[in-house]
Amino acid sequence: MSRIHLLPEEVASQVAAGEVIERPASVVKELVENSIDAGSRKIEVMIRRGGVSTISVVDDGIGMDRDDALLCLERHATSKIRTGHDLAAITTLGFRGEALPSIASVSRFRLATRERDALVGTEVIINGGKIETVRDGGEAPGTQIEVRSLFYNLPARRKFLRSENTESSHVEQQLHLQAIGHPHIGFVFVNDEKPVYQLPATPNLIDRIRDLSGRDLAEQLLEIRGGGGDGISVSGFIGKPGVSRSTRTQQIIFINGRAVENSTIHYALREGYHTALMKGQYPVTYLFIEMDPAAVDVNVHPAKREVRFRDPSTVREIIVESIRKTIESGRSEWSKTFSPAPAGLPVAQPARIPEETLPLIEAREQVTLRRDWSSLPLQNDTRQAASVIARAEQAMVATPVPVPAAAAPRTNADPQNFRILGVLGKLYVLMENETGLVLVDQHAAHERILFEELRRRMEDQGVPCQRLLMPLTIQVNPRDNDWILQNIPTLNKMGIAIEQFGSGTFKIDALPQFIKTGDPLQLIRDIIDELRQTSDSTSKLRLGEDVIATTVCRHAVKANDYLREPELVRLVQDLLACELPYCCPHGRPTMIQISYLELEKKFGRKA
Ligand code: ADP
Ligand code: MG
């Protein structure tokens, strides 16, 4: 007896539904995508009890005639592609013809639709995949779909649903994505009879972002524009350096209008931000990538969340470059608020320091504020220097930086000025500018200054290296062998003197001066691994930057180093001269502004 049989259509649909319809949010996604594909200007979504009891999506799109209203419920029925060839360049959000039959097979489903010029519309009612009613209806032009009792006939799936709150927050997140992706469409969202939002259509993405996420977030964004050359363009908004989240939820990426997850892009974002992003944090992005639909395969994931690129490295390069340029250009706006005071503006007077401690302070200054990289303390000096600093600090406990008795009156002078007020907790430099109070983390600021200085050095002249007493040899596999051979110049620039010493073996004579490691071979292996991960045409020195960043940290001003007024001014000026002054090499902010407005709110002077 044969064991194999074809599944009844109903069961086959439920199997298919298992792939696309995981939870109420997936129903909302599919229905809203259909409404977008139908050219709607306004989409209204209503859910009850997390969407499990009811989901309703009403649009004003092109609608369907009676035949299509019935056909759209068949599996693999679609108006969006015709031949296998069309799959190679998809321009609509849907294309598989699977969503409506899948949803209808696992719910009580009602479809009402009317074409714009048609006299009557059509209403279809389906329960668990079986058509119950088909009749004429006098609906408004467009399409209304109501999905009730989701998974009522699929108890196994229903058991996996979470609480109503969780489900409705997934729905909301899904709608958030769609609303960001399509600002020219108006969206209404009602949850358990409560209006959640009503978003007017707008030509401007930033208006939509503001409407959805508030003014504060909108102000933390930089506009991004890039690409163009290879038929790939990048637009949208990205968070300023230091603006980040601990999850990916605000890292929103669209490719040709479709919200996607893609590891190439995730890496590219990280690489583009580089030191402007804290470890373990994710950037805030509203990134819109437009490209030839033939260059991206969207038919790789059941829910079409993931995509594959024909040429991932080009995509990556374009994104990295666009992000980097945007972050660097954000600098000019930033420095407007913080640029140094012109001569003549009153600054707090330096502390009067007892004569006998001056030599000690100078000794410490040599260590902490040294501008000359070549004389950065090496291991031994550091220890010596540290004890000098400690002594200097002891001597100075009694001489805090004075805070002026009465703050100078605010003038209408140039808003770019700042004035140093003092130091809080031996770490935060307090400054006043036209907008309010500015706090500078002196440790983070100094890290950034040293970091950029070292990197400049490195790019210009290579890293000073230290000869090893005994050359090291490193054995590598054939793949690494080739990679090292091709990258010897880069490695040399990074202060690693390496040369081939027979096949699969290299000799290392020198290492970067500033690197302290007990296991240089491991270090070299790590460097090779990390360098290989960065994309080909982005700077090979990137990794060098990372190494520098961590090294700098050890040499930078420690939190409780005592700085005198001129040193503070110098620190701030040097910081402002940096390429990326707003955060330290680990992505932590260097400066925080607290505006008068915020202060007034805190003191209850303003509502
Ligand atoms: P797909 O979107 O992959 O084509 P669906 O099952 O989601 O498959 O929809 C099937 C077809 O039904 C679509 O191709 C479209 O022609 C039609 N359709 C679905 N929803 C709407 C809508 N809101 N307005 C107009 N036509 C729709
Ligand atoms: Mg669809």
Side-chain angles (χ1 to χ4, degrees), residues 34 38 59 63-64 72 77-80 94-101 143:
N34 280 346
D59 69 42
M64 287 177 269
C72 76
T78 178
S79 55
K80 301 172 192 175
F95 54 88
R96 291 184 182 142
E98 238 172 20
L100 292 186
T143 302

Side-chain angles (χ1 to χ4, degrees), residues 443-485:
H443 178 63
H446 199 222
E447 275 184 340
R448 168 53 67 181
I449 295 164
L450 278 182
F451 171 75
E452 291 202 4
E453 206 171 294
L454 298 191
R455 186 175 56 184
R456 245 194 323 274
R457 276 275 169 168
M458 201 165 132
E459 279 165 5
D460 295 350
Q461 308 161 15
V463 179
C465 55
Q466 207 167 18
R467 294 231 141 248
L468 299 173
L469 290 175
M470 294 275 287
L472 299 165
T473 52
I474 180 170
Q475 312 260 336
V476 296
N477 61 34
R479 214 165 68 118
D480 286 350
N481 184 74
D482 294 350
W483 188 90
I484 295 176
L485 275 181

Side-chain angles (χ1 to χ4, degrees), residues 502-558:
S503 168
T505 310
F506 289 85
K507 184 165 69 104
I508 297 159
D509 297 313
L511 285 175
Q513 210 172 54
F514 54 79
I515 284 178
K516 299 170 203 164
T517 171
D519 190 352
L521 289 181
Q522 190 52 43
L523 177 91
I524 302 286
R525 286 185 200 282
D526 290 347
I527 288 177
I528 293 169
D529 281 350
E530 276 198 58
L531 264 181
R532 228 198 343 234
Q533 276 170 27
T534 52
S535 56
D536 281 347
S537 55
T538 29
S539 167
K540 284 273 170 45
L541 294 168
R542 286 256 138 175
L543 175 84
E545 294 179 12
D546 279 344
V547 176
I548 288 173
T550 43
T551 313
V552 158
C553 209
R554 266 172 272 154
H555 291 296
V557 180
K558 289 293 168 285

Side-chain angles (χ1 to χ4, degrees), residues 261-364:
E261 305 271 326
N262 177 273
S263 56
T264 302
I265 299 180
H266 293 166
Y267 280 123
L269 292 178
R270 197 153 272 290
E271 198 174 330
Y273 269 89
H274 196 56
T275 62
L277 188 68
M278 246 185 272
K279 270 227 159 64
Q281 291 283 99
Y282 298 93
V284 173
T285 66
Y286 298 90
L287 200 67
F288 287 70
I289 301 161
E290 298 293 328
M291 59 196 296
D292 178 1
V296 49
D297 189 356
V298 296
N299 191 20
V300 293
H301 184 271
K304 293 167 281 181
R305 241 191 331 256
E306 285 163 24
V307 293
R308 214 179 280 146
F309 297 113
R310 203 170 58 195
D311 180 5
S313 61
T314 306
V315 174
R316 178 173 177 156
E317 298 307 330
I318 290 176
I319 294 174
V320 172
E321 265 323 293
S322 314
I323 301 264
R324 200 159 27 214
K325 280 206 202 100
T326 306
I327 289 175
E328 274 161 23
S329 71
R331 184 186 183 286
S332 61
E333 185 203 326
W334 189 88
S335 58
K336 249 190 249 154
T337 345
F338 294 115
S339 60
L345 194 96
V347 288
Q349 287 305 302
R352 240 177 29 82
I353 289 166
E355 292 283 299
E356 63 279 12
T357 60
L358 276 175
L360 293 173
I361 295 169
E362 261 137 37
R364 194 275 327 265

